[in-house]
Amino acid sequence: MATPNLFLIYVTDVQHSTGFYSDLFEMEPVMVTPRYVPFEVAPGVLFALWSGRSDGVTPATPRTSELGLMLPGSSDAVDSCYAAWTAKGVTVVEEPRDEVFGRTFVVADPDGNLIRVSPTD
């Protein structure tokens, strides 16, 4: 059975968002095109920034998704990530708190897409 291996994050400004995600995750994209930039997060698994068709890109187009980063270790790992990311000036949507699945926080990318950090399941 096939399993999902590409996760798209809709963005308005691919170049700006590429810089944001490269800095935040400390990784480089697999390739860069004007409207599509993939990052390999595991062998054969990508998340990609995508602006859509060039004639359909407007700031008014909703960009809403949530990308998850599950960290190994204790809640201290989540808190350390929060400290590192806030030092980079990310937009905090939800400060660290304990949830049913463990410690978590949420930040937003330049388009308002959410990035949730939590412990590994």
Side-chain angles (χ1 to χ4, degrees):
M1 173 179 247
T3 58
N5 59 2
L6 174 62
F7 303 90
L8 296 172
I9 305 297
Y10 289 92
V11 300
T12 303
D13 183 334
V14 172
Q15 183 178 2
H16 181 69
S17 293
T18 298
F20 174 84
Y21 281 99
S22 291
D23 180 53
L24 192 67
F25 293 134
E26 299 176 353
M27 63 189 303
E28 293 301 316
V30 173
M31 67 179 199
V32 176
T33 74
R35 297 187 325 269
Y36 175 79
V37 177
F39 293 83
E40 187 172 41
V41 294
V45 179
L46 303 172
F47 87 85
L49 308 176
W50 169 239
S51 67
R53 294 187 341 258
S54 62
D55 62 350
V57 179
T58 68
T61 303
R63 313 279 188 211
T64 53
S65 64
E66 185 167 326
L67 180 67
L69 173 64
M70 295 191 305
L71 299 175
S74 67
S75 60
D76 291 338
V78 173
D79 289 337
S80 292
C81 182
Y82 179 80
W85 285 9
T86 55
K88 293 180 181 199
V90 297
T91 300
V92 175
V93 175
E94 184 179 278
E95 293 185 0
R97 66 186 179 91
D98 294 322
E99 191 47 82
V100 295
F101 50 81
R103 192 88 169 143
T104 188
F105 70 89
V106 179
V107 300
D109 77 2
D111 287 287
N113 293 303
L114 303 178
I115 304 164
R116 177 178 300 279
V117 176
S118 62
T120 302
D121 287 341

